[in-house]
Amino acid sequence: MKKLVVLSGAGISAESGISTFRDANGLWRNYRIEEVASPIAWRNNMELVLEFYNIRRKQLFEVEPNAGHHALVDLEKYFDVEIITQNVDDLHERAGSSNVLHLHGELKKARSTVDENLVVELKHWELKKGDTCPKGSQLRPHIVWFGESVNTFPQAASRIRQADLLIVVGTSLLVYPAAGLIDYVAAKVPVYYIDPNAEKQAYRSNMITLAEKAGIGLPKLASQLIKGYR
Ligand code: APR
């Protein structure tokens, strides 16, 4: 089976009702990154940071995967699909994708503040001050904050190097090192970019752009790829 690698961003979850970051009504229009998504924010105002992720986690229990997520699951019948996502939601997993690597963490998990490898699943949407890890320290959101290292990057880069085709979907390609993953793909590998702003944002000439929403573009591309496979 050919290896199909997917790099997804917030746009793939937009049609499920989850805000992106940099669109007109995006999260960074309503919150300042340095106040809710950085180690300094956590030191300065733990409660505000906990609330920022609690609001997003609560919403996650109320939304469902969309046709874009499901199209990627359909492709698993014909390709060895590996998903690399910048998203912290679990919609890829809930749609049924079996191989998902989170670059920026996971909303439904929390992490010890004395041992970053001690990660716990959150069964409930609310993480509060005083909620502690098994070692007795305050739990923090299991999210890679700005200024923290993306520990899964080497694994993601190695997946992209082995890709026979790459689909980039729903990302503005503005945040590194995630956006730089595209440069790890071999020269001959086709790179599809699905995003309403694809033409404007495609920074490599060899990207095949589909200026569509994920819920339209991914099912369309999946059926083309499956037809070509038969
Ligand atoms: N379908 C596909 N793409 C969409 C849709 C949709 N329905 N709606 C919006 N988009 C596109 C936008 O055109 C934009 O290119 O999704 C992209 C969203 O870009 P960002 O909001 O910048 O999200 P993302 O690229 O995932 O951000 C990367 O930045 O703030 C950090 O950690 C955060 O993981 C995030 C990272």
Side-chain angles (χ1 to χ4, degrees):
M1 268 184 163
K2 286 192 174 179
K3 187 178 286 291
L4 188 161
V5 178
V6 180
L7 174 64
S8 69
I12 194 173
S13 300
E15 287 151 275
S16 295
I18 296 183
S19 301
T20 63
F21 294 94
R22 294 172 184 82
D23 284 321
N25 58 347
L27 277 170
W28 300 144
R29 295 279 189 272
N30 303 312
Y31 292 92
R32 290 164 54 85
I33 289 175
E34 53 277 15
E35 288 174 353
V36 293
S38 72
I40 295 169
W42 178 251
R43 272 199 296 281
N44 291 345
N45 191 338
M46 182 192 293
E47 283 88 344
L48 177 62
V49 174
L50 287 170
E51 183 197 337
F52 174 65
Y53 290 98
N54 283 344
I55 293 168
R56 294 171 65 197
R57 195 176 299 113
K58 189 166 189 288
Q59 182 196 28
L60 194 44
F61 282 96
E62 294 153 9
V63 298
E64 295 296 329
N66 62 60
H69 297 102
H70 292 300
L72 296 179
V73 179
D74 294 344
L75 283 165
E76 291 195 5
K77 300 184 196 78
Y78 305 90
F79 295 90
D80 170 16
V81 180
E82 297 197 345
I83 293 177
I84 301 166
T85 187
Q86 300 172 83
N87 300 340
V88 294
D89 64 54
D90 61 345
L91 295 182
H92 281 302
E93 290 90 340
R94 282 167 50 199
S97 286
S98 52
N99 192 330
V100 183
L101 180 65
H102 286 268
L103 290 169
H104 297 160
E106 298 178 64
L107 207 44
K108 287 191 176 174
K109 292 182 180 172
R111 179 198 304 174
S112 163
T113 42
V114 289
D115 174 359
E116 68 171 11
N117 298 313
L118 184 49
V119 176
V120 298
E121 295 276 342
L122 291 173
K123 297 284 173 267
H124 184 54
W125 63 271
E126 197 173 16
L127 180 60
K128 299 186 299 301
K129 188 169 182 180
D131 288 348
T132 55
C133 77
K135 292 186 176 176
S137 82
Q138 172 69 44
L139 282 168
R140 57 161 272 186
H142 182 49
I143 300 292
V144 179
W145 284 330
F146 285 87
E148 294 185 323
S149 54
V150 179
N151 297 332
T152 51
F153 184 84
Q155 196 184 344
S158 124
R159 286 187 176 189
I160 294 238
R161 275 199 200 91
Q162 297 164 43
D164 296 307
L165 60 161
L166 173 64
I167 298 177
V168 179
V169 54
T171 175
S172 57
L173 294 173
L174 290 174
V175 174
Y176 285 77
L181 280 168
I182 299 176
D183 296 331
Y184 284 77
V185 78
K188 63 184 181 350
V189 169
V191 179
Y192 299 91
Y193 182 21
I194 299 175
D195 187 301
N197 292 319
E199 270 89 5
K200 196 168 66 167
Q201 295 169 174
Y203 69 84
R204 282 169 58 120
S205 56
N206 66 339
M207 290 176 104
I208 304 155
T209 55
L210 282 84
E212 301 263 19
K213 291 187 171 185
I216 308 284
L218 275 171
K220 204 184 273 184
L221 177 58
S223 63
Q224 280 170 22
L225 293 175
I226 292 167
K227 229 179 274 152
Y229 188 89
R230 283 196 183 114

